Amino acid sequence: MLLEVSGLSVNYGHIEALRDVSFGVEQGTVVALIGANGAGKTTTLKTLSGLRPVRAGRILLDGKDITKTPAHQRVSLGLSQSPEGRGCFPGMTVRENLDMGGFARKDRKSAEYRSDLDRVFDLFPRLREREKQAAGSMSGGEQQMVAMGRALMARPKLLLLDEPSMGLAPKLIQQIFSIVTEINQQGTTVLMVEQNAAQALKRAHQAYVLETGEIVKSGTGKDLSADPAVKAAYLGGDI
């Protein structure tokens, strides 16, 4: 198991955002967390990244306990996140944003680093075309590509994607999800939080449903897609 989360509880002041959450992510898979707004999905990813303190529970990455590891060290250990809202550096170019993703790497002048950069440009050809363009002048979809590419430049064992399709046109949503599948097929494990439950479950090997800070259902993406309660709540009655 690449990621093991057990008994995770997180508070925002006196409000319990996550309560006794346990789940795992197998190496080489795509795992989806779905649920309504306010269910605790983004809090889960922020906690895994080290941006929220843990009240109780444990987080293991590749067998190592990272529950109290600072956020920047988690990146070096193989955890990298593409955040909700993209979070690009608007005044920096596409290439500079990508280089920020590889900031902690010690091989930035190596052929391997260049190869990783080429991989990002192959996944997102638009970024190669706009390598010298300021990220803040790009469309929402292009900025999402920058955010995902930046996260990949850290060479993560586990890529965390927070709402990759948010605010995108339907055609672009399909493209982003296809790229998520391709990233996984190239060997990167993915944990994805996504409001577009239909697309997320279609791509996921395993999925979990969060409601008010607790996991209430789990199963394969296919099984949850067929679950009547999940269909009614998140898939508009169909997928």
Side-chain angles (χ1 to χ4, degrees):
M1 191 75 71
L2 178 59
L3 178 75
E4 296 175 75
V5 177
S6 55
L8 193 65
S9 295
V10 175
N11 279 29
Y12 283 93
H14 296 296
I15 299 170
E16 203 171 32
L18 295 177
R19 183 168 49 258
D20 197 26
V21 167
S22 299
F23 66 94
V25 177
E26 293 274 7
Q27 176 84 40
T29 61
V30 175
V31 173
L33 285 177
I34 66 170
N37 283 332
K41 305 186 303 298
T42 290
T43 297
T44 301
L45 291 197
K46 284 185 174 180
T47 305
L48 296 178
S49 291
L51 302 176
R52 294 296 312 169
V54 173
R55 181 174 63 77
R58 207 161 65 131
I59 304 167
L60 298 182
L61 179 67
D62 216 6
K64 179 181 175 65
D65 191 334
I66 63 165
T67 312
K68 296 183 178 178
T69 303
H72 68 281
Q73 291 180 17
R74 298 188 195 198
V75 176
S76 299
L77 291 172
L79 202 62
S80 186
Q81 181 169 347
S82 174
E84 181 182 13
R86 296 143 200 157
C88 296
F89 300 101
M92 298 171 71
T93 65
V94 168
R95 173 60 190 273
E96 287 167 341
N97 269 272
L98 296 179
D99 283 339
M100 287 300 290
F103 186 78
R105 292 178 57 170
K106 295 179 170 62
D107 64 345
R108 292 178 66 181
K109 297 191 176 178
S110 70
E112 193 169 39
Y113 185 88
R114 182 68 229 186
S115 174
D116 289 339
L117 197 59
D118 285 338
R119 175 197 179 199
V120 169
F121 286 146
D122 287 344
L123 284 166
F124 305 105
R126 187 76 59 86
L127 300 188
R128 191 191 299 273
E129 296 168 11
R130 307 199 173 191
E131 186 177 355
K132 296 180 181 178
Q133 184 172 333
S137 68
M138 301 175 80
S139 71
E142 289 164 344
Q143 288 188 30
Q144 184 60 58
M145 295 174 189
V146 172
M148 291 171 66
R150 181 182 59 195
L152 285 171
M153 286 305 296
R155 301 201 87 201
K157 295 175 184 175
L158 177 61
L159 175 64
L160 306 179
L161 297 177
D162 195 353
E163 304 284 8
S165 77
M166 181 183 283
L168 302 185
K171 185 177 179 182
L172 205 48
I173 288 173
Q174 188 66 40
Q175 183 183 350
I176 288 292
F177 278 110
S178 295
I179 292 167
V180 170
T181 298
E182 189 172 349
I183 288 168
N184 177 244
Q185 289 172 345
Q186 290 179 0
T188 303
T189 305
V190 177
L191 174 59
M192 171 172 50
V193 156
E194 181 52 61
Q195 281 283 99
N196 189 327
Q199 283 289 345
L201 293 176
K202 184 178 176 182
R203 308 286 174 179
H205 300 96
Q206 181 75 15
Y208 299 89
V209 180
L210 268 173
E211 285 183 9
T212 59
E214 295 182 279
I215 289 178
V216 296
K217 279 185 182 289
S218 65
T220 66
K222 186 175 181 181
D223 286 347
L224 289 187
S225 294
D227 184 294
V230 173
K231 289 171 78 170
Y234 304 110
L235 306 175
D238 204 353
I239 187 167

